[in-house]
Amino acid sequence: MTFVDVQNGFYNALVQGLGIGQGSNFQLIQPSPPLLPDDHQLWDYFNNIPPFSLTQDYTASGGNQFFSNYKGLISALKSPLGDRLVKDIGQNVLDEFVDYVSAKDPAPSPRQYPALFRNWAMLRHPSVATKGASDFAAMLLEPIAAASIALMGYEGDTDAAPPIAPRQADWDAGFKQLKAQLNVAPSRSFHFERSSMNSNVSRTWTGGSNSGFFGLWGSSSYSSSQSVTFAQSNFSVDASFAHVLLFAPTPGVWYSSAAMGQAYSHKSGAPWDPTATINWNNTFDPKNGNMARFMTNLVVVDTLNITVRSFAKYTRDDQTVIQKNSGGGLWPFYTSGRSGGASTSASFADDGTMTIKINSQPGVPIVIGGNVLPIDQYVGHAVAGMKLYAEFMQDDASFRDLILNPTEMQPV
């Protein structure tokens, strides 16, 4: 048995032990340090485009990013209503207005833009205030144009005085909401052993593809001599979690499911700009697209207690190597105590057998994985969003009045 088999066996045991169920799109996330009380650090997990693998070697700043790739997508889609807005109010006026909304906190929702523009322009460019507000209102009825409006508040302007930094991607729930939900989430525990584990992952969502895992310690190779020794001898894992939460916020006002649905539904032609380098294939293709998959929720735990007993006979040299590298976390979660709230240790008996203990404090969130949706499933929600968007616009009498009577818009 190899360490690859060991990792696969742990994946299956974890999926079953957490109650996720076989057939889910669960992805292990490694390493698993305590989560800091920072919204953007949390949202980085959702902003990262996950690989096609049962395990993700997570780096917050690396790889494809949902937000930047999404902005590129919207820029490659054409709407005649956007051109009309520029023609009616002028590019300079639009640039000034983008600076204005970029500085607002929080970012305005798309429905606020007609009134925001009219009230702002009445003081600065009164000749285009009503026409521009009417154009903004009309744009909200067309998904691609509405999506471009939503992104205006995230543009920023580094040339402004003082400079306006581009707004980072946000989601509708952050660290505070995660902590509140985690405190009342259910507990889970499981036990498994090498002799009885199931290492068959051929029926998982990747068909067994798994490229992001380590060896016995964080960032080590699964083919290291210590990892091989571990895999070839008996071991057991006892795992318990005081709380296990499935945390599922939705993207902030910058994201339009309706625009995503329109783009995915047309491989060529409208709404794609034929002159753009961004197209359906390099965006949505399951193998090569930069938006082929999305992290839709995170599996977050606290009060993690893991005991791994390895019955291999480790030499003194092996023991020294393992102890030396334990600061980077040990299998199976590679939880480092560097940021506080968690600890990892390895101890050895006189006969050379090893015990690994991984513990985290109550109330300290730790992300251990999440569920990944491929684009064809994710966009199903987007298409449903298009229908809801259309129904909402038809049923909302106040919004129809706003479009028909832009001069009566109220300040926001």
Side-chain angles (χ1 to χ4, degrees):
M1 180 176 291
T2 68
F3 200 86
V4 175
D5 297 318
V6 170
Q7 179 72 9
N8 290 342
F10 176 70
Y11 176 91
N12 286 334
L14 184 63
V15 166
Q16 183 176 1
L18 294 181
I20 297 173
Q22 298 296 329
S24 70
N25 284 28
F26 178 72
Q27 182 178 77
L28 272 164
I29 295 178
Q30 298 175 343
S32 303
L35 189 65
L36 297 175
D38 179 272
D39 287 343
H40 286 286
Q41 187 204 52
L42 170 61
W43 293 333
D44 280 343
Y45 282 96
F46 294 98
N47 195 32
N48 201 49
I49 299 293
F52 185 69
S53 171
L54 297 181
T55 307
Q56 177 183 170
D57 179 3
Y58 174 74
T59 303
S61 60
N64 288 324
Q65 301 291 308
F66 184 179
F67 183 53
S68 58
N69 293 348
Y70 173 80
K71 288 197 295 183
L73 165 66
I74 298 304
S75 71
L77 306 178
K78 292 275 294 179
S79 171
L81 296 179
D83 293 338
R84 188 173 76 185
L85 174 68
V86 174
K87 181 180 178 180
D88 285 345
I89 69 173
Q91 187 64 55
N92 290 339
V93 173
L94 181 58
D95 290 342
E96 288 181 37
F97 180 65
V98 168
D99 287 351
Y100 167 69
V101 294
S102 293
K104 294 185 73 65
D105 189 25
S109 70
R111 290 188 64 198
Q112 292 178 285
Y113 274 76
L116 275 173
F117 180 82
R118 182 180 184 277
N119 295 331
W120 172 84
M122 285 296 291
L123 297 175
R124 296 165 179 81
H125 305 282
S127 63
V128 298
T130 299
K131 183 61 175 174
S134 179
D135 286 347
F136 271 110
M139 289 172 71
L140 294 181
L141 298 178
E142 197 279 303
I144 304 303
S148 66
I149 289 177
L151 285 171
M152 288 181 180
Y154 290 78
E155 290 300 321
D157 186 353
T158 56
D159 295 327
I164 303 170
R167 200 186 307 268
Q168 293 177 268
D170 54 2
W171 272 252
D172 70 348
F175 187 85
K176 181 179 179 180
Q177 292 81 2
L178 181 148
K179 282 291 296 291
Q181 295 176 31
L182 184 61
N183 288 340
V184 296
S187 62
R188 293 286 187 269
S189 63
F190 66 90
H191 169 90
F192 86 104
E193 301 178 5
R194 177 185 185 275
S195 59
S196 58
M197 72 180 186
N198 171 24
S199 59
N200 182 2
V201 291
S202 62
R203 294 191 176 185
T204 59
W205 64 279
T206 68
S209 177
N210 196 10
S211 59
F213 60 93
F214 307 140
L216 193 54
W217 60 85
S219 300
S220 67
S221 170
Y222 57 81
S223 61
S224 70
S225 61
Q226 294 81 15
S227 300
V228 171
T229 297
F230 181 90
Q232 291 179 347
S233 301
N234 289 331
F235 66 85
S236 66
V237 177
D238 289 282
S240 68
F241 314 90
H243 301 100
V244 179
L245 170 68
L246 203 64
F247 183 64
T250 58
V253 298
W254 54 270
Y255 175 72
S256 168
S257 61
M260 179 78 89
Q262 266 207 10
Y264 183 79
S265 298
H266 301 83
K267 287 195 172 184
S268 61
W272 293 95
D273 181 348
T275 66
T277 57
I278 297 172
N279 53 50
W280 192 98
N281 287 327
N282 58 31
T283 302
F284 296 128
D285 182 78
K287 291 185 178 180
N288 303 313
N290 64 8
M291 297 180 73
R293 288 166 299 277
F294 303 88
M295 185 67 70
T296 58
N297 53 57
L298 294 176
V299 177
V300 187
V301 305
D302 78 347
T303 323
L304 175 152
N305 291 291
I306 308 292
T307 300
V308 180
R309 295 179 176 87
S310 172
F311 301 100
K313 309 296 185 181
Y314 294 91
T315 67
R316 291 290 184 184
D317 287 343
D318 283 340
Q319 294 178 33
T320 299
V321 171
I322 294 170
Q323 292 280 19
K324 180 181 178 181
N325 290 284
S326 62
L330 295 170
W331 185 85
F333 286 121
Y334 312 100
T335 302
S336 170
R338 293 173 183 168
S339 55
S343 63
T344 297
S345 65
S347 60
F348 297 88
D350 291 341
D351 62 356
T353 58
M354 178 176 63
T355 299
I356 295 173
K357 288 188 176 292
I358 306 171
N359 307 102
S360 68
Q361 296 177 7
V364 175
I366 293 180
V367 176
I368 63 172
N371 283 291
V372 176
L373 276 186
I375 180 60
D376 59 335
Q377 295 181 37
Y378 191 86
V379 83
H381 298 282
V383 173
M386 290 174 63
K387 295 179 180 178
L388 291 173
Y389 184 93
E391 293 171 0
F392 171 76
M393 292 301 185
Q394 291 175 358
D395 294 341
D396 192 331
S398 64
F399 192 76
R400 289 201 306 273
D401 289 343
L402 180 149
I403 293 174
L404 295 174
N405 302 289
T407 58
E408 298 182 9
M409 296 174 189
Q410 300 298 313
V412 293

